[in-house]
Amino acid sequence: MKRILLVLSILCLMAAPLQAQEGFQLFTNSIDPQTGSISFVWVDVTTGKQTRLASFTSSGNCHPERLGNTFLYEPQTPGGNAEVYQVDLTNGNILPFAAAAEQQLHCPAVNPTGSQITWLQHGEEAQSIVLTDVIGANPVVLATHPSIYDANWSPDGTILTYTAVGDDQTFRQLYAYTDSLTEFWPRNAGLVIDTLWTPDSQTLLIAYYTQDEAIVGTLSQSCVIQGGCAPTPLATFPSEAGLILENAFSPDGSQFIVIQETNDGMGVFNSELMVVDLATGSARQLVDMPGLIKTSAVWIGDMIYFIGSVFDESTFTMSDSAIYTVSPQGGSPNIAYQADDYLPTQIFWVAQS
């Protein structure tokens, strides 16, 4: 699923909660609004120091994927002849991922165990999902569909899920791969817009639309593997809301953050961070600042960090972007880090420093 955004297309989040607030860095992006180029930046919010790691002339076709002490990134290119690069997370060295270019592989999804990578391989009329080892060798085609997107692994690395659209282009089918391929989303359940595994890999959260409302529901791991289950609704939202499931869980895994986006039809956008309880489905608004567009969040110990920006409806651009912090109890946020040459939209990872 390419996440439906009412404000801008941002990269998918991959960050894990830490148990303490001290001694960590946030791996983020920074966009140049004049050129559209993107830089990857380590930010230490405690010391107020930023370290620019690498820059590319455009945003990515897919979200960056961490592979050991490197990450894989595929910037957009004119004509669609995109190339995947491997970037060192310590020194910023950039090298082409040769196997991807040789086999025309795109949009890598790295198994969290660091043992495999799945890719998209484009054909003239269809796409294949391909499994390789970590150097891009020994390719195995898992399946072919007219359109495939948003392949991702469960946190324990045992289940690959992805979305595919068939010939009729009217239904987004979800697939799971363990030892074999399974369809696990019933056609009459609704239109899927996002998925996210809980940290223990036991439950798949699914954001989807029905005719009446937007819903975040759940499917057990066994339902994903075996198929044949209907989702259990967890939390409901207005039907006009765009929902983004953030990989931002409380330290005990009992709560997580959803970004709810709305558009009044007159060019006025709004987004809110909603905290959802996994047991009860109750949802509450986290931040009391309606004019701030929220595009990414991580939950670190007893604080939540998020990206907030001011949106200019006249130019359709972001300005005054910064990293904010707020208590899990909610309220007015504080700026944790801001700089004149720093315009972030996404927090990718949290690393101990």
PDB file of all heavy atoms in Angstrom, residues 1-10 12 149-150 172 191-195 207-209 214 239-246 259-263 269-271:
ATOM      1  N   MET A   1       0.811  -1.191   0.000  1.00  0.00           N
ATOM      2  CA  MET A   1       0.000   0.000   0.000  1.00  0.00           C
ATOM      3  C   MET A   1       0.843   1.239   0.000  1.00  0.00           C
ATOM      4  O   MET A   1       1.629   1.377   0.879  1.00  0.00           O
ATOM      5  CB  MET A   1      -0.870   0.021   1.235  1.00  0.00           C
ATOM      6  CG  MET A   1      -0.026   0.223   2.437  1.00  0.00           C
ATOM      7  SD  MET A   1       0.073  -0.702   3.831  1.00  0.00           S
ATOM      8  CE  MET A   1       1.403  -1.682   3.667  1.00  0.00           C
ATOM      9  N   LYS A   2       0.709   2.056  -1.005  1.00  0.00           N
ATOM     10  CA  LYS A   2       1.333   3.354  -0.925  1.00  0.00           C
ATOM     11  C   LYS A   2       0.414   4.207  -0.093  1.00  0.00           C
ATOM     12  O   LYS A   2      -0.728   4.437  -0.463  1.00  0.00           O
ATOM     13  CB  LYS A   2       1.541   3.967  -2.307  1.00  0.00           C
ATOM     14  CG  LYS A   2       2.692   3.315  -3.048  1.00  0.00           C
ATOM     15  CD  LYS A   2       3.957   3.423  -2.281  1.00  0.00           C
ATOM     16  CE  LYS A   2       5.032   2.553  -2.867  1.00  0.00           C
ATOM     17  NZ  LYS A   2       6.171   2.389  -2.029  1.00  0.00           N
ATOM     18  N   ARG A   3       0.886   4.655   1.020  1.00  0.00           N
ATOM     19  CA  ARG A   3       0.019   5.279   1.999  1.00  0.00           C
ATOM     20  C   ARG A   3      -0.638   6.526   1.445  1.00  0.00           C
ATOM     21  O   ARG A   3       0.001   7.376   0.853  1.00  0.00           O
ATOM     22  CB  ARG A   3       0.807   5.590   3.265  1.00  0.00           C
ATOM     23  CG  ARG A   3       1.348   4.307   3.893  1.00  0.00           C
ATOM     24  CD  ARG A   3       2.148   4.597   5.125  1.00  0.00           C
ATOM     25  NE  ARG A   3       2.493   3.339   5.757  1.00  0.00           N
ATOM     26  CZ  ARG A   3       3.122   3.222   6.903  1.00  0.00           C
ATOM     27  NH1 ARG A   3       3.487   4.271   7.565  1.00  0.00           N
ATOM     28  NH2 ARG A   3       3.411   2.045   7.400  1.00  0.00           N
ATOM     29  N   ILE A   4      -1.954   6.640   1.648  1.00  0.00           N
ATOM     30  CA  ILE A   4      -2.703   7.754   1.110  1.00  0.00           C
ATOM     31  C   ILE A   4      -2.455   8.968   1.979  1.00  0.00           C
ATOM     32  O   ILE A   4      -2.816   8.999   3.140  1.00  0.00           O
ATOM     33  CB  ILE A   4      -4.197   7.409   1.061  1.00  0.00           C
ATOM     34  CG1 ILE A   4      -4.392   6.230   0.113  1.00  0.00           C
ATOM     35  CG2 ILE A   4      -5.013   8.600   0.632  1.00  0.00           C
ATOM     36  CD1 ILE A   4      -5.815   5.733   0.087  1.00  0.00           C
ATOM     37  N   LEU A   5      -1.834   9.990   1.397  1.00  0.00           N
ATOM     38  CA  LEU A   5      -1.527  11.219   2.124  1.00  0.00           C
ATOM     39  C   LEU A   5      -2.290  12.354   1.486  1.00  0.00           C
ATOM     40  O   LEU A   5      -2.297  12.495   0.275  1.00  0.00           O
ATOM     41  CB  LEU A   5      -0.026  11.520   2.071  1.00  0.00           C
ATOM     42  CG  LEU A   5       0.877  10.463   2.697  1.00  0.00           C
ATOM     43  CD1 LEU A   5       2.320  10.833   2.455  1.00  0.00           C
ATOM     44  CD2 LEU A   5       0.597  10.353   4.156  1.00  0.00           C
ATOM     45  N   LEU A   6      -2.916  13.187   2.287  1.00  0.00           N
ATOM     46  CA  LEU A   6      -3.607  14.349   1.764  1.00  0.00           C
ATOM     47  C   LEU A   6      -2.683  15.542   1.646  1.00  0.00           C
ATOM     48  O   LEU A   6      -3.001  16.514   0.995  1.00  0.00           O
ATOM     49  CB  LEU A   6      -4.788  14.705   2.688  1.00  0.00           C
ATOM     50  CG  LEU A   6      -5.837  13.595   2.834  1.00  0.00           C
ATOM     51  CD1 LEU A   6      -6.902  14.029   3.815  1.00  0.00           C
ATOM     52  CD2 LEU A   6      -6.440  13.258   1.492  1.00  0.00           C
ATOM     53  N   VAL A   7      -1.533  15.483   2.287  1.00  0.00           N
ATOM     54  CA  VAL A   7      -0.631  16.626   2.291  1.00  0.00           C
ATOM     55  C   VAL A   7       0.528  16.426   1.345  1.00  0.00           C
ATOM     56  O   VAL A   7       0.784  17.217   0.478  1.00  0.00           O
ATOM     57  CB  VAL A   7      -0.110  16.893   3.718  1.00  0.00           C
ATOM     58  CG1 VAL A   7       0.849  18.067   3.723  1.00  0.00           C
ATOM     59  CG2 VAL A   7      -1.275  17.165   4.641  1.00  0.00           C
ATOM     60  N   LEU A   8       1.273  15.364   1.506  1.00  0.00           N
ATOM     61  CA  LEU A   8       2.427  15.103   0.660  1.00  0.00           C
ATOM     62  C   LEU A   8       2.756  13.643   0.781  1.00  0.00           C
ATOM     63  O   LEU A   8       2.348  12.965   1.708  1.00  0.00           O
ATOM     64  CB  LEU A   8       3.641  15.945   1.071  1.00  0.00           C
ATOM     65  CG  LEU A   8       4.411  15.515   2.322  1.00  0.00           C
ATOM     66  CD1 LEU A   8       5.720  16.295   2.394  1.00  0.00           C
ATOM     67  CD2 LEU A   8       3.592  15.780   3.571  1.00  0.00           C
ATOM     68  N   SER A   9       3.466  13.146  -0.214  1.00  0.00           N
ATOM     69  CA  SER A   9       3.894  11.751  -0.188  1.00  0.00           C
ATOM     70  C   SER A   9       5.185  11.676   0.593  1.00  0.00           C
ATOM     71  O   SER A   9       6.173  12.297   0.222  1.00  0.00           O
ATOM     72  CB  SER A   9       4.128  11.247  -1.610  1.00  0.00           C
ATOM     73  OG  SER A   9       4.620   9.937  -1.590  1.00  0.00           O
ATOM     74  N   ILE A  10       5.141  10.934   1.690  1.00  0.00           N
ATOM     75  CA  ILE A  10       6.328  10.834   2.533  1.00  0.00           C
ATOM     76  C   ILE A  10       6.793   9.398   2.566  1.00  0.00           C
ATOM     77  O   ILE A  10       6.089   8.473   2.181  1.00  0.00           O
ATOM     78  CB  ILE A  10       6.050  11.342   3.956  1.00  0.00           C
ATOM     79  CG1 ILE A  10       4.956  10.489   4.606  1.00  0.00           C
ATOM     80  CG2 ILE A  10       5.657  12.780   3.953  1.00  0.00           C
ATOM     81  CD1 ILE A  10       4.690  10.829   6.037  1.00  0.00           C
ATOM     82  N   CYS A  12       8.017   5.706   4.062  1.00  0.00           N
ATOM     83  CA  CYS A  12       7.460   4.883   5.115  1.00  0.00           C
ATOM     84  C   CYS A  12       8.371   4.824   6.306  1.00  0.00           C
ATOM     85  O   CYS A  12       9.538   4.819   6.139  1.00  0.00           O
ATOM     86  CB  CYS A  12       7.241   3.481   4.660  1.00  0.00           C
ATOM     87  SG  CYS A  12       6.305   3.175   3.683  1.00  0.00           S
ATOM     88  N   TYR A 149       2.603  -3.535  -4.678  1.00  0.00           N
ATOM     89  CA  TYR A 149       3.242  -2.469  -3.915  1.00  0.00           C
ATOM     90  C   TYR A 149       3.226  -2.799  -2.426  1.00  0.00           C
ATOM     91  O   TYR A 149       2.513  -3.672  -1.964  1.00  0.00           O
ATOM     92  CB  TYR A 149       2.594  -1.104  -4.170  1.00  0.00           C
ATOM     93  CG  TYR A 149       1.084  -1.076  -4.099  1.00  0.00           C
ATOM     94  CD1 TYR A 149       0.436  -0.648  -2.966  1.00  0.00           C
ATOM     95  CD2 TYR A 149       0.306  -1.461  -5.197  1.00  0.00           C
ATOM     96  CE1 TYR A 149      -0.939  -0.602  -2.897  1.00  0.00           C
ATOM     97  CE2 TYR A 149      -1.071  -1.414  -5.136  1.00  0.00           C
ATOM     98  CZ  TYR A 149      -1.688  -0.989  -3.980  1.00  0.00           C
ATOM     99  OH  TYR A 149      -3.074  -0.968  -3.927  1.00  0.00           O
ATOM    100  N   ASP A 150       4.091  -2.083  -1.717  1.00  0.00           N
ATOM    101  CA  ASP A 150       4.176  -2.125  -0.257  1.00  0.00           C
ATOM    102  C   ASP A 150       4.429  -3.507   0.314  1.00  0.00           C
ATOM    103  O   ASP A 150       3.694  -3.994   1.161  1.00  0.00           O
ATOM    104  CB  ASP A 150       2.930  -1.524   0.369  1.00  0.00           C
ATOM    105  CG  ASP A 150       2.848  -0.041   0.099  1.00  0.00           C
ATOM    106  OD1 ASP A 150       3.866   0.633   0.220  1.00  0.00           O
ATOM    107  OD2 ASP A 150       1.771   0.440  -0.275  1.00  0.00           O
ATOM    108  N   ARG A 172      -7.914  -4.202  -3.890  1.00  0.00           N
ATOM    109  CA  ARG A 172      -6.565  -4.357  -3.357  1.00  0.00           C
ATOM    110  C   ARG A 172      -6.504  -5.617  -2.510  1.00  0.00           C
ATOM    111  O   ARG A 172      -6.982  -5.646  -1.386  1.00  0.00           O
ATOM    112  CB  ARG A 172      -6.184  -3.148  -2.511  1.00  0.00           C
ATOM    113  CG  ARG A 172      -6.182  -1.838  -3.279  1.00  0.00           C
ATOM    114  CD  ARG A 172      -5.751  -0.712  -2.367  1.00  0.00           C
ATOM    115  NE  ARG A 172      -5.766   0.563  -3.058  1.00  0.00           N
ATOM    116  CZ  ARG A 172      -5.301   1.699  -2.544  1.00  0.00           C
ATOM    117  NH1 ARG A 172      -4.791   1.695  -1.334  1.00  0.00           N
ATOM    118  NH2 ARG A 172      -5.350   2.818  -3.229  1.00  0.00           N
ATOM    119  N   LEU A 191     -11.748  -1.335   1.597  1.00  0.00           N
ATOM    120  CA  LEU A 191     -10.595  -0.913   0.813  1.00  0.00           C
ATOM    121  C   LEU A 191      -9.407  -0.671   1.736  1.00  0.00           C
ATOM    122  O   LEU A 191      -9.429   0.234   2.572  1.00  0.00           O
ATOM    123  CB  LEU A 191     -10.916   0.376   0.040  1.00  0.00           C
ATOM    124  CG  LEU A 191      -9.763   1.026  -0.724  1.00  0.00           C
ATOM    125  CD1 LEU A 191      -9.279   0.108  -1.850  1.00  0.00           C
ATOM    126  CD2 LEU A 191     -10.163   2.383  -1.269  1.00  0.00           C
ATOM    127  N   VAL A 192      -8.358  -1.465   1.593  1.00  0.00           N
ATOM    128  CA  VAL A 192      -7.183  -1.355   2.457  1.00  0.00           C
ATOM    129  C   VAL A 192      -6.350  -0.143   2.058  1.00  0.00           C
ATOM    130  O   VAL A 192      -6.096   0.105   0.884  1.00  0.00           O
ATOM    131  CB  VAL A 192      -6.323  -2.624   2.358  1.00  0.00           C
ATOM    132  CG1 VAL A 192      -5.027  -2.460   3.143  1.00  0.00           C
ATOM    133  CG2 VAL A 192      -7.095  -3.832   2.864  1.00  0.00           C
ATOM    134  N   ILE A 193      -5.897   0.630   3.059  1.00  0.00           N
ATOM    135  CA  ILE A 193      -5.040   1.781   2.782  1.00  0.00           C
ATOM    136  C   ILE A 193      -3.693   1.702   3.497  1.00  0.00           C
ATOM    137  O   ILE A 193      -2.746   2.375   3.115  1.00  0.00           O
ATOM    138  CB  ILE A 193      -5.736   3.116   3.147  1.00  0.00           C
ATOM    139  CG1 ILE A 193      -6.241   3.101   4.595  1.00  0.00           C
ATOM    140  CG2 ILE A 193      -6.854   3.411   2.173  1.00  0.00           C
ATOM    141  CD1 ILE A 193      -6.838   4.419   5.046  1.00  0.00           C
ATOM    142  N   ASP A 194      -3.576   0.871   4.536  1.00  0.00           N
ATOM    143  CA  ASP A 194      -2.296   0.774   5.241  1.00  0.00           C
ATOM    144  C   ASP A 194      -2.300  -0.454   6.132  1.00  0.00           C
ATOM    145  O   ASP A 194      -3.358  -0.912   6.588  1.00  0.00           O
ATOM    146  CB  ASP A 194      -2.054   2.033   6.084  1.00  0.00           C
ATOM    147  CG  ASP A 194      -0.581   2.262   6.388  1.00  0.00           C
ATOM    148  OD1 ASP A 194       0.245   1.457   5.919  1.00  0.00           O
ATOM    149  OD2 ASP A 194      -0.268   3.236   7.079  1.00  0.00           O
ATOM    150  N   THR A 195      -1.110  -1.004   6.387  1.00  0.00           N
ATOM    151  CA  THR A 195      -0.967  -2.127   7.314  1.00  0.00           C
ATOM    152  C   THR A 195       0.264  -1.921   8.178  1.00  0.00           C
ATOM    153  O   THR A 195       1.202  -1.237   7.794  1.00  0.00           O
ATOM    154  CB  THR A 195      -0.827  -3.481   6.577  1.00  0.00           C
ATOM    155  OG1 THR A 195       0.390  -3.489   5.821  1.00  0.00           O
ATOM    156  CG2 THR A 195      -2.014  -3.738   5.658  1.00  0.00           C
ATOM    157  N   ALA A 207      -5.578  -0.498   8.293  1.00  0.00           N
ATOM    158  CA  ALA A 207      -6.450   0.654   8.099  1.00  0.00           C
ATOM    159  C   ALA A 207      -7.202   0.454   6.790  1.00  0.00           C
ATOM    160  O   ALA A 207      -6.600   0.167   5.764  1.00  0.00           O
ATOM    161  CB  ALA A 207      -5.640   1.945   8.072  1.00  0.00           C
ATOM    162  N   TYR A 208      -8.518   0.614   6.835  1.00  0.00           N
ATOM    163  CA  TYR A 208      -9.313   0.376   5.639  1.00  0.00           C
ATOM    164  C   TYR A 208     -10.596   1.205   5.673  1.00  0.00           C
ATOM    165  O   TYR A 208     -11.029   1.681   6.720  1.00  0.00           O
ATOM    166  CB  TYR A 208      -9.641  -1.112   5.487  1.00  0.00           C
ATOM    167  CG  TYR A 208     -10.412  -1.736   6.640  1.00  0.00           C
ATOM    168  CD1 TYR A 208     -11.790  -1.946   6.560  1.00  0.00           C
ATOM    169  CD2 TYR A 208      -9.760  -2.144   7.804  1.00  0.00           C
ATOM    170  CE1 TYR A 208     -12.499  -2.534   7.605  1.00  0.00           C
ATOM    171  CE2 TYR A 208     -10.460  -2.730   8.853  1.00  0.00           C
ATOM    172  CZ  TYR A 208     -11.828  -2.926   8.746  1.00  0.00           C
ATOM    173  OH  TYR A 208     -12.520  -3.500   9.788  1.00  0.00           O
ATOM    174  N   TYR A 209     -11.167   1.384   4.491  1.00  0.00           N
ATOM    175  CA  TYR A 209     -12.426   2.109   4.343  1.00  0.00           C
ATOM    176  C   TYR A 209     -13.573   1.138   4.106  1.00  0.00           C
ATOM    177  O   TYR A 209     -13.451   0.188   3.323  1.00  0.00           O
ATOM    178  CB  TYR A 209     -12.373   3.062   3.148  1.00  0.00           C
ATOM    179  CG  TYR A 209     -11.465   4.251   3.309  1.00  0.00           C
ATOM    180  CD1 TYR A 209     -10.442   4.485   2.396  1.00  0.00           C
ATOM    181  CD2 TYR A 209     -11.644   5.152   4.344  1.00  0.00           C
ATOM    182  CE1 TYR A 209      -9.614   5.583   2.518  1.00  0.00           C
ATOM    183  CE2 TYR A 209     -10.813   6.255   4.475  1.00  0.00           C
ATOM    184  CZ  TYR A 209      -9.802   6.468   3.561  1.00  0.00           C
ATOM    185  OH  TYR A 209      -8.976   7.557   3.686  1.00  0.00           O
ATOM    186  N   ALA A 214     -13.894   5.090   8.183  1.00  0.00           N
ATOM    187  CA  ALA A 214     -12.525   4.595   8.121  1.00  0.00           C
ATOM    188  C   ALA A 214     -12.262   3.812   9.403  1.00  0.00           C
ATOM    189  O   ALA A 214     -12.669   4.240  10.491  1.00  0.00           O
ATOM    190  CB  ALA A 214     -11.537   5.739   7.975  1.00  0.00           C
ATOM    191  N   SER A 239     -15.313   8.895   7.673  1.00  0.00           N
ATOM    192  CA  SER A 239     -15.087   8.275   6.363  1.00  0.00           C
ATOM    193  C   SER A 239     -14.185   9.121   5.471  1.00  0.00           C
ATOM    194  O   SER A 239     -13.532   8.584   4.577  1.00  0.00           O
ATOM    195  CB  SER A 239     -16.429   8.043   5.663  1.00  0.00           C
ATOM    196  OG  SER A 239     -17.126   9.274   5.483  1.00  0.00           O
ATOM    197  N   GLU A 240     -14.132  10.432   5.706  1.00  0.00           N
ATOM    198  CA  GLU A 240     -13.303  11.308   4.866  1.00  0.00           C
ATOM    199  C   GLU A 240     -11.855  11.391   5.354  1.00  0.00           C
ATOM    200  O   GLU A 240     -11.012  12.050   4.734  1.00  0.00           O
ATOM    201  CB  GLU A 240     -13.890  12.717   4.815  1.00  0.00           C
ATOM    202  CG  GLU A 240     -13.876  13.485   6.138  1.00  0.00           C
ATOM    203  CD  GLU A 240     -15.069  13.211   7.022  1.00  0.00           C
ATOM    204  OE1 GLU A 240     -15.816  12.244   6.733  1.00  0.00           O
ATOM    205  OE2 GLU A 240     -15.276  13.956   7.997  1.00  0.00           O
ATOM    206  N   ALA A 241     -11.526  10.722   6.434  1.00  0.00           N
ATOM    207  CA  ALA A 241     -10.181  10.821   7.004  1.00  0.00           C
ATOM    208  C   ALA A 241      -9.195   9.926   6.260  1.00  0.00           C
ATOM    209  O   ALA A 241      -9.524   8.805   5.866  1.00  0.00           O
ATOM    210  CB  ALA A 241     -10.204  10.444   8.478  1.00  0.00           C
ATOM    211  N   GLY A 242      -7.988  10.438   6.061  1.00  0.00           N
ATOM    212  CA  GLY A 242      -6.876   9.612   5.618  1.00  0.00           C
ATOM    213  C   GLY A 242      -6.139   9.093   6.840  1.00  0.00           C
ATOM    214  O   GLY A 242      -5.899   9.849   7.793  1.00  0.00           O
ATOM    215  N   LEU A 243      -5.808   7.809   6.856  1.00  0.00           N
ATOM    216  CA  LEU A 243      -5.173   7.203   8.024  1.00  0.00           C
ATOM    217  C   LEU A 243      -3.795   6.674   7.672  1.00  0.00           C
ATOM    218  O   LEU A 243      -3.611   6.003   6.659  1.00  0.00           O
ATOM    219  CB  LEU A 243      -6.029   6.053   8.561  1.00  0.00           C
ATOM    220  CG  LEU A 243      -7.452   6.394   9.001  1.00  0.00           C
ATOM    221  CD1 LEU A 243      -8.144   5.131   9.517  1.00  0.00           C
ATOM    222  CD2 LEU A 243      -7.461   7.475  10.073  1.00  0.00           C
ATOM    223  N   ILE A 244      -2.821   6.973   8.514  1.00  0.00           N
ATOM    224  CA  ILE A 244      -1.460   6.467   8.377  1.00  0.00           C
ATOM    225  C   ILE A 244      -1.096   5.782   9.689  1.00  0.00           C
ATOM    226  O   ILE A 244      -1.122   6.404  10.753  1.00  0.00           O
ATOM    227  CB  ILE A 244      -0.453   7.587   8.084  1.00  0.00           C
ATOM    228  CG1 ILE A 244      -0.858   8.383   6.845  1.00  0.00           C
ATOM    229  CG2 ILE A 244       0.951   7.019   7.896  1.00  0.00           C
ATOM    230  CD1 ILE A 244      -0.049   9.649   6.658  1.00  0.00           C
ATOM    231  N   LEU A 245      -0.770   4.501   9.617  1.00  0.00           N
ATOM    232  CA  LEU A 245      -0.378   3.754  10.801  1.00  0.00           C
ATOM    233  C   LEU A 245       1.109   3.967  11.047  1.00  0.00           C
ATOM    234  O   LEU A 245       1.952   3.511  10.274  1.00  0.00           O
ATOM    235  CB  LEU A 245      -0.677   2.262  10.609  1.00  0.00           C
ATOM    236  CG  LEU A 245      -2.129   1.908  10.281  1.00  0.00           C
ATOM    237  CD1 LEU A 245      -2.264   0.407  10.078  1.00  0.00           C
ATOM    238  CD2 LEU A 245      -3.077   2.388  11.374  1.00  0.00           C
ATOM    239  N   GLU A 246       1.435   4.658  12.116  1.00  0.00           N
ATOM    240  CA  GLU A 246       2.822   4.939  12.446  1.00  0.00           C
ATOM    241  C   GLU A 246       3.425   3.794  13.250  1.00  0.00           C
ATOM    242  O   GLU A 246       2.779   3.246  14.156  1.00  0.00           O
ATOM    243  CB  GLU A 246       2.919   6.231  13.256  1.00  0.00           C
ATOM    244  CG  GLU A 246       2.592   7.480  12.455  1.00  0.00           C
ATOM    245  CD  GLU A 246       3.662   7.758  11.413  1.00  0.00           C
ATOM    246  OE1 GLU A 246       4.708   8.305  11.770  1.00  0.00           O
ATOM    247  OE2 GLU A 246       3.421   7.426  10.243  1.00  0.00           O
ATOM    248  N   ILE A 259      -1.848   8.686  12.361  1.00  0.00           N
ATOM    249  CA  ILE A 259      -2.012  10.044  11.856  1.00  0.00           C
ATOM    250  C   ILE A 259      -3.335  10.111  11.095  1.00  0.00           C
ATOM    251  O   ILE A 259      -3.572   9.326  10.177  1.00  0.00           O
ATOM    252  CB  ILE A 259      -0.854  10.466  10.942  1.00  0.00           C
ATOM    253  CG1 ILE A 259       0.451  10.534  11.727  1.00  0.00           C
ATOM    254  CG2 ILE A 259      -1.136  11.830  10.301  1.00  0.00           C
ATOM    255  CD1 ILE A 259       1.660  10.951  10.915  1.00  0.00           C
ATOM    256  N   GLN A 260      -4.195  11.018  11.512  1.00  0.00           N
ATOM    257  CA  GLN A 260      -5.486  11.221  10.853  1.00  0.00           C
ATOM    258  C   GLN A 260      -5.424  12.524  10.063  1.00  0.00           C
ATOM    259  O   GLN A 260      -5.226  13.599  10.630  1.00  0.00           O
ATOM    260  CB  GLN A 260      -6.612  11.285  11.878  1.00  0.00           C
ATOM    261  CG  GLN A 260      -7.973  11.643  11.293  1.00  0.00           C
ATOM    262  CD  GLN A 260      -9.042  11.780  12.359  1.00  0.00           C
ATOM    263  OE1 GLN A 260      -9.166  10.955  13.241  1.00  0.00           O
ATOM    264  NE2 GLN A 260      -9.806  12.854  12.283  1.00  0.00           N
ATOM    265  N   GLU A 261      -5.590  12.428   8.749  1.00  0.00           N
ATOM    266  CA  GLU A 261      -5.518  13.608   7.882  1.00  0.00           C
ATOM    267  C   GLU A 261      -6.886  13.922   7.289  1.00  0.00           C
ATOM    268  O   GLU A 261      -7.654  13.012   6.948  1.00  0.00           O
ATOM    269  CB  GLU A 261      -4.522  13.373   6.744  1.00  0.00           C
ATOM    270  CG  GLU A 261      -3.094  13.192   7.218  1.00  0.00           C
ATOM    271  CD  GLU A 261      -2.119  13.079   6.063  1.00  0.00           C
ATOM    272  OE1 GLU A 261      -2.491  12.532   5.012  1.00  0.00           O
ATOM    273  OE2 GLU A 261      -0.975  13.542   6.230  1.00  0.00           O
ATOM    274  N   THR A 262      -7.173  15.214   7.171  1.00  0.00           N
ATOM    275  CA  THR A 262      -8.429  15.653   6.571  1.00  0.00           C
ATOM    276  C   THR A 262      -8.180  16.824   5.631  1.00  0.00           C
ATOM    277  O   THR A 262      -7.188  17.542   5.765  1.00  0.00           O
ATOM    278  CB  THR A 262      -9.450  16.076   7.648  1.00  0.00           C
ATOM    279  OG1 THR A 262      -8.877  17.106   8.468  1.00  0.00           O
ATOM    280  CG2 THR A 262      -9.848  14.891   8.512  1.00  0.00           C
ATOM    281  N   ASN A 263      -9.100  16.999   4.704  1.00  0.00           N
ATOM    282  CA  ASN A 263      -9.052  18.089   3.734  1.00  0.00           C
ATOM    283  C   ASN A 263     -10.461  18.642   3.617  1.00  0.00           C
ATOM    284  O   ASN A 263     -11.406  17.891   3.326  1.00  0.00           O
ATOM    285  CB  ASN A 263      -8.558  17.558   2.395  1.00  0.00           C
ATOM    286  CG  ASN A 263      -8.536  18.609   1.305  1.00  0.00           C
ATOM    287  OD1 ASN A 263      -8.827  19.773   1.548  1.00  0.00           O
ATOM    288  ND2 ASN A 263      -8.209  18.194   0.101  1.00  0.00           N
ATOM    289  N   PHE A 269      -5.664  21.796   4.817  1.00  0.00           N
ATOM    290  CA  PHE A 269      -5.331  20.471   5.292  1.00  0.00           C
ATOM    291  C   PHE A 269      -5.160  20.485   6.807  1.00  0.00           C
ATOM    292  O   PHE A 269      -4.773  21.490   7.396  1.00  0.00           O
ATOM    293  CB  PHE A 269      -4.037  19.975   4.650  1.00  0.00           C
ATOM    294  CG  PHE A 269      -4.134  19.805   3.155  1.00  0.00           C
ATOM    295  CD1 PHE A 269      -3.755  20.829   2.308  1.00  0.00           C
ATOM    296  CD2 PHE A 269      -4.609  18.623   2.609  1.00  0.00           C
ATOM    297  CE1 PHE A 269      -3.839  20.683   0.944  1.00  0.00           C
ATOM    298  CE2 PHE A 269      -4.699  18.466   1.239  1.00  0.00           C
ATOM    299  CZ  PHE A 269      -4.319  19.493   0.403  1.00  0.00           C
ATOM    300  N   ASN A 270      -5.426  19.351   7.396  1.00  0.00           N
ATOM    301  CA  ASN A 270      -5.216  19.220   8.827  1.00  0.00           C
ATOM    302  C   ASN A 270      -4.778  17.788   9.113  1.00  0.00           C
ATOM    303  O   ASN A 270      -5.173  16.848   8.417  1.00  0.00           O
ATOM    304  CB  ASN A 270      -6.506  19.522   9.593  1.00  0.00           C
ATOM    305  CG  ASN A 270      -6.288  19.570  11.084  1.00  0.00           C
ATOM    306  OD1 ASN A 270      -5.319  20.164  11.560  1.00  0.00           O
ATOM    307  ND2 ASN A 270      -7.168  18.945  11.836  1.00  0.00           N
ATOM    308  N   SER A 271      -3.931  17.615  10.097  1.00  0.00           N
ATOM    309  CA  SER A 271      -3.532  16.272  10.505  1.00  0.00           C
ATOM    310  C   SER A 271      -3.396  16.250  12.016  1.00  0.00           C
ATOM    311  O   SER A 271      -2.954  17.221  12.626  1.00  0.00           O
ATOM    312  CB  SER A 271      -2.212  15.865   9.833  1.00  0.00           C
ATOM    313  OG  SER A 271      -1.143  16.637  10.320  1.00  0.00           O
TER     314      SER A 271
END
